[in-house]
Amino acid sequence: MARVVVDVMPKTEILDPQGQAIVGALGRLGFSGVADVRQGKRFELELDGDVDDVTLERIASELLANTVIEDFTVSRVSS
């Protein structure tokens, strides 16, 4: 059984309010030195059969990511 990881992150030009909230909380908790945080999503897909890269890209772009405001990467992980 193969595993695929799809990481989804806000595009760099898109404001990330969750990331900014984390930066603020880190400062209030006494953690210094963190200039920026970007919060994203990680999806792990377990594949039963042979799914080609084109299909995986379609799954990521049509279902897992909002490509207007998010970028994604698809990686096959060895088991």
Side-chain angles (χ1 to χ4, degrees):
M1 186 171 293
R3 185 178 341 164
V4 172
V5 173
V6 179
D7 289 307
V8 180
M9 293 294 293
K11 291 185 176 185
T12 55
E13 62 272 14
I14 299 297
L15 178 65
D16 182 1
Q18 292 172 313
Q20 292 304 305
I22 294 167
V23 169
L26 288 170
R28 287 188 302 277
L29 292 171
F31 296 101
S32 61
V34 179
D36 192 27
V37 172
R38 308 280 298 165
Q39 182 175 342
K41 301 176 279 193
R42 176 184 169 106
F43 299 91
E44 295 184 1
L45 290 72
E46 295 286 336
L47 306 178
D48 280 336
D50 185 30
V51 179
D52 62 46
D53 291 343
V54 173
T55 301
L56 292 171
E57 291 282 325
R58 284 191 59 212
I59 290 169
S61 67
E62 294 178 19
L63 179 65
L64 303 178
N66 177 348
T67 57
V68 173
I69 60 170
E70 296 173 320
D71 291 323
F72 65 89
T73 59
V74 178
S75 307
R76 290 183 183 264
V77 178
S78 341
S79 42

